[in-house]
């Protein structure tokens, strides 16, 4: 018997696998501090870099770290993008995502930048230029998640 | 310098939907590459494959696809990485004289999958995925850091593709067919996600390492064939590799995501094009192009 030349059948399948990620003591301290409206980093005793979020080891020196430090709630934009393409689970477009180097830190952390006028995408506002100042703003209901805070432009640059 | 013979090559080129089961696709290219090399399955001692459980929907694909990859009762090695990483492992085994002939194969069958649902899973789960931002923002942020200005993530026409590729690597021998010779390999990783280092830093490092291993200067290159990396334009890539722009050959932007198959497809394309002189094949996987590989191939 010959094989009939038809369009092959597709059998549906899905994976539903829940995870509970163990985040370690440094990230736990970071998220606990967010509930108190504080942002923590870690300082490498060898190179002095202050990384946010904190890690229990220095990626540059490859040595353990044991010091947590609180960094400032203001910082400067190190990289920024405006997302105009919708994606499942994302906020309504357009929105701004940025890496911000907070005062006292040597690395940057990613989060949304709210309070930006995105009415004209051909002329993005100076609020989101590289090195523009921003402030971390905390929500009223904090759950110990990265979404407990976001950034907003600091418009008084005096 | 290393010298590993590419004796055969076969490809099911990218299409929106190849109407075959995944193991049929893989068997088609592995058996086709063996035919091209003038060898049979008994002549090879193992199979090296590059695949993603996430992309092909099979947990530990090596166990479910053994028959088609040609590794039944043989040595088998799979990488969850670009297929140039599988080529590197395979070439190392042959160069070390641990094998005389091996299969390298790779595939992607996104027509079976929901690409958007998978893309977000490529993000680090705690700090980054928790934001639910568009995954393409990762490359856009790293480009912003490079360019010193804001970037835009816009909706682009993305077409998922099915593709499969296989090569046969052998130890050099005058009795064996030669389609080309792998003479250099390199790999480099950049920092995950964060800005502050050049987006193409890993690509530069991988290309440099491949040329160094081959004992060749970048000015010797007659072709630099680039897999993927569609967010980067020709001028930036040419600068990063250190070649004139007209040396570059790019894969079609129509296929925005060939998965881990992109690198080996570029090797196959280089062989098929009969490119004169040493051809550098480059790929950079990872959601922010952090993971780069390079292979330097002398096409016969």
């Amino acid at each position: 018997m010959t094989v009939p030349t038809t369009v092959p059948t597709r059998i549906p399948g899905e994976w539903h696998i829940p995870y509970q990620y163990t985040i370690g003591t440094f990230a736990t301290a970071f998220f606990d501090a967010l509930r108190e409206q504080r942002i923590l980093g870690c300082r490498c005793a060898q190179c002095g870099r202050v990384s946010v979020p904190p890690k229990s080891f220095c990626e540059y020196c490859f040595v353990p770290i044991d010091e947590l430090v609180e960094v400032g709630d203001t910082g400067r934009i190190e990289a920024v993008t405006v997302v105009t393409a919708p994606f499942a689970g994302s906020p309504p477009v357009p929105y701004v995502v940025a890496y911000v180097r907070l005062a006292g830190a040597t690395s940057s952390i990613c989060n949304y930048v709210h309070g930006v006028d995105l009415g004209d995408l051909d002329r993005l506002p100076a609020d989101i230029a590289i090195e523009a100042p921003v402030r971390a703003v905390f929500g009223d209901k904090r759950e110990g998640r990265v979404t407990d805070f976001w950034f907003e432009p600091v418009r008084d640059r005096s | 310098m290393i010298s590993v013979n590419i004796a055969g090559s076969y490809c099911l080129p990218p299409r929106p939907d190849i109407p075959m089961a995944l193991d049929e696709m893989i068997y088609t290219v592995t058996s086709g590459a063996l035919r091209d090399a003038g060898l049979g399955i008994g002549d090879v001692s193992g199979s090296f494959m590059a695949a993603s459980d996430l992309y092909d929907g099979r947990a530990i694909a090596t166990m479910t696809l053994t028959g088609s990859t040609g590794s039944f009762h043989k040595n088998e090695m799979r990488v969850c990485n670009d297929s140039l990483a599988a080529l590197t492992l395979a070439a190392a085994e042959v160069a070390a004289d641990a094998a005389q002939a091996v299969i390298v194969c790779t595939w992607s069958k996104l027509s079976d999958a929901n690409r958007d649902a998978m893309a977000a899973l490529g993000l680090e789960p705690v700090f980054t995925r928790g934001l639910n931002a568009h995954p393409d923002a990762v490359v856009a942020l790293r480009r912003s850091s490079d360019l010193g200005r804001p970037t835009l993530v816009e909706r682009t026409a993305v077409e998922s593709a099915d593709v499969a590729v296989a090569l046969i690597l052998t130890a050099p021998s005058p009795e064996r067919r030669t389609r080309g010779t792998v003479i250099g390999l390199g790999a480099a990783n950049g920092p995950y996600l964060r800005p502050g280092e050049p987006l193409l830093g890993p690509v530069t490092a991988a290309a440099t390492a491949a040329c160094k291993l081959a004992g060749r200067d970048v000015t010797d290159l007659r072709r630099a064939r680039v897999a993927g990396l569609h967010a980067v334009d020709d001028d930036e890539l040419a600068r990063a590799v250190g070649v004139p722009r007209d040396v570059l050959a790019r894969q079609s932007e129509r296929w925005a995501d060939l998965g881990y198959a992109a690198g080996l497809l570029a090797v196959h394309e280089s062989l098929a094009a009969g490119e004169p002189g040493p051809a550098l094949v480059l790929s950079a996987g990872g959601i922010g192009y952090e993971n780069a590989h390079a292979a330097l191939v002398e096409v016969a």
Side-chain angles (χ1 to χ4, degrees):
Chain A
M1 191 170 116
T2 56
V3 179
T5 53
T6 57
V7 176
T9 299
R10 287 183 182 271
I11 305 288
E14 290 184 52
W15 285 354
H16 294 286
I17 306 171
Y19 291 87
Q20 293 286 326
Y21 293 108
T22 304
I23 61 173
T25 54
F26 278 61
T28 298
F30 174 82
F31 286 117
D32 285 349
L34 290 184
R35 293 175 191 270
E36 301 163 5
Q37 304 186 56
R38 297 185 301 129
I39 298 176
L40 298 183
C42 63
R43 178 182 286 117
C44 172
Q46 189 158 306
C47 68
R49 285 185 175 91
V50 175
S51 301
V52 179
K55 279 182 173 291
S56 59
F57 56 93
C58 178
E59 294 181 340
Y60 296 90
C61 306
F62 223 61
V63 296
I65 290 177
D66 57 12
E67 183 186 5
L68 288 170
V69 294
E70 184 173 349
V71 298
D73 63 354
T74 58
R76 293 191 178 268
I77 290 176
E78 191 169 332
V80 59
T81 194
V82 179
V83 180
T84 65
F87 190 81
S90 289
V93 294
Y95 57 87
V96 182
V97 187
Y99 271 93
V100 170
R101 192 176 57 258
L102 290 164
T106 53
S107 73
S108 53
I109 185 167
C110 190
N111 217 317
Y112 294 108
V113 184
H114 294 322
V116 179
D117 180 1
L118 296 174
D120 183 357
L121 293 175
D122 293 326
R123 293 173 60 86
L124 295 174
D127 287 344
I128 54 169
I130 301 297
E131 290 295 323
V134 293
R135 180 183 303 280
V137 177
F138 288 85
D140 292 335
K141 191 177 174 185
R142 296 178 295 281
E143 303 172 300
R145 300 283 185 272
V146 71
T147 44
D148 283 355
F149 74 100
W150 57 89
F151 297 111
E152 291 185 2
V154 177
R155 296 206 167 85
D156 178 10
R157 301 184 188 180
S158 56
Chain B
M1 177 173 158
I2 59 167
S3 181
V4 175
N5 183 33
I6 303 174
S9 177
Y10 199 88
C11 169
L12 282 171
R15 280 181 47 183
D17 180 3
I18 294 175
M20 296 179 181
L22 180 57
D23 63 348
E24 293 170 344
M25 285 174 53
I26 297 166
Y27 173 74
T28 299
V29 296
T30 50
S31 59
L34 281 169
R35 263 197 320 277
D36 189 43
L39 298 176
I41 190 66
D43 297 314
V44 296
S45 58
S47 185
F48 294 74
M49 59 198 81
S52 161
D53 290 354
L54 190 61
Y55 271 45
D56 64 30
R58 287 157 173 81
I60 316 178
T62 47
M63 293 182 186
T64 63
L65 297 164
T66 296
S68 57
T69 56
S71 46
F72 187 56
H73 283 180
K74 297 178 192 298
N75 179 28
E76 170 180 279
M77 183 77 73
R78 188 189 65 151
V79 296
C80 188
N81 201 331
D82 186 87
S83 41
L84 291 188
L87 178 71
T88 300
L89 287 176
E93 183 151 319
V94 173
D97 207 20
Q100 289 297 302
V102 297
I103 297 171
V104 188
C105 56
T106 184
W107 56 86
S108 188
K109 190 158 178 62
L110 281 173
S111 70
D112 279 3
N114 180 326
R115 182 176 179 272
D116 277 0
M118 293 184 304
L121 297 177
L123 296 168
E124 181 278 327
V126 178
F127 294 99
T128 314
R129 200 191 305 162
L131 289 174
N132 278 333
H134 196 297
D136 290 352
V138 171
V139 166
L141 283 162
R142 295 195 65 193
R143 280 182 57 73
S144 165
S145 178
D146 273 5
L147 300 171
R149 61 173 170 76
T151 52
L152 279 178
V153 177
E154 299 173 285
R155 180 193 291 272
T156 50
V158 173
E159 196 161 8
S160 294
D162 292 354
V163 60
V165 189
L167 302 182
I168 307 300
L169 300 189
T170 62
S173 162
E175 290 120 46
R176 289 203 177 99
R177 182 173 179 184
T178 300
R179 301 284 315 278
T181 308
V182 180
I183 59 173
L185 293 158
N189 283 278
Y192 178 71
L193 299 183
R194 68 171 180 266
E197 293 190 19
L199 177 66
L200 293 179
V203 169
T204 303
T208 303
C211 288
K212 184 178 177 186
L213 182 62
R216 298 297 184 95
D217 190 83
V218 74
T219 55
D220 295 337
L221 299 178
R222 295 291 170 266
R223 181 63 82 198
R225 193 167 280 272
V226 182
L229 283 154
H230 294 302
V232 183
D233 66 28
D234 287 358
D235 288 335
E236 285 178 85
L237 268 168
R239 275 197 301 275
V241 181
V243 296
R245 188 175 161 180
D246 62 3
V247 166
L248 291 180
R250 309 287 302 266
Q251 288 178 334
S252 169
E253 284 193 58
R254 179 183 176 191
W255 314 115
D257 188 354
L258 294 174
Y260 293 145
L264 211 61
L265 178 65
V267 175
H268 173 85
E269 289 168 336
S270 215
L271 298 172
E275 287 165 348
L280 183 68
V281 177
L282 295 163
S283 72
I287 207 153
Y289 300 158
E290 303 92 350
N291 180 226
H293 289 87
L296 198 56
V297 177
E298 286 273 20
V299 179

